[in-house]
Amino acid sequence: MKATTTTQKRAKAYAAWMADCIERHDAVTFTIDWTLSRNCEINPQVYDLERAPCLNVSGCGYDKGSAALAHILRYLPELTKEQAKAVDSTAGCGERETARVLRRFGWRISVNTTPHTYDVVTLQKATPEEVAKAVADYECDRNRSHA
């Protein structure tokens, strides 16, 4: 997925750094910080290694946590353009949906939520069995919706 804004470029670089860490250490952990907003209560923020923001998520009426996850993880370097679009389409649909789509493409995430201060996210490669099950579940859901 093409990065055009400054925050998108930071997100792309941060996702590349995370993928590199996973290759060397099997997993990487990062946080989604929740900050107070004047208009819509709290907004999620992910910062790169220099504490510069990697995304802009604001507004009301949708799951902003999953939007933050999708907007960062769509830049994982191993995702194809179509896979990145599928990950991005989960923005606002809930963390469980983002995790489900990522698992199909070989990634596993777990999110440990704190009472709206920060969320701890662990990202790692999914096992081949997890990927096969996620693909089979996706095909089953797709066939059911077209019946």
Side-chain angles (χ1 to χ4, degrees):
M1 183 159 273
K2 186 171 166 120
T4 55
T5 68
T6 301
T7 54
Q8 288 173 336
K9 290 174 185 172
R10 287 183 195 136
K12 188 172 186 174
Y14 193 58
W17 173 81
M18 288 191 291
D20 184 54
C21 285
I22 290 168
E23 288 299 317
R24 290 184 281 132
H25 305 290
D26 296 327
V28 68
T29 301
F30 65 99
T31 60
I32 298 174
D33 295 329
W34 291 88
T35 57
L36 196 56
S37 166
R38 289 177 296 197
N39 299 330
C40 290
E41 299 177 15
I42 55 174
N43 292 326
Q45 189 57 261
V46 176
Y47 297 98
D48 68 9
L49 299 176
E50 282 130 25
R51 296 292 298 160
C54 291
L55 53 89
N56 294 310
V57 177
S58 61
C60 301
Y62 67 100
D63 185 324
K64 292 185 270 189
S66 66
L69 278 175
H71 291 328
I72 289 291
L73 300 178
R74 68 183 173 182
Y75 291 113
L76 287 168
E78 295 172 10
L79 295 179
T80 66
K81 188 175 184 178
E82 292 77 27
Q83 291 171 337
K85 284 182 181 180
V87 171
D88 198 39
S89 73
T90 67
C93 296
E95 293 164 358
R96 191 175 290 178
E97 180 64 13
T98 304
R100 189 178 72 84
V101 169
L102 279 166
R103 197 169 302 115
R104 264 186 18 229
F105 305 137
W107 297 94
R108 182 183 339 140
I109 61 168
S110 63
V111 180
N112 295 317
T113 305
T114 63
H116 283 292
T117 316
Y118 63 94
D119 298 341
V120 178
V121 181
T122 303
L123 175 69
Q124 59 194 126
K125 291 281 193 167
T127 65
E129 294 81 17
E130 290 173 319
V131 174
K133 182 179 180 335
V135 169
D137 290 348
Y138 170 75
E139 292 298 326
C140 183
D141 290 345
R142 216 171 106 190
N143 291 336
R144 212 175 307 153
S145 67
H146 288 91

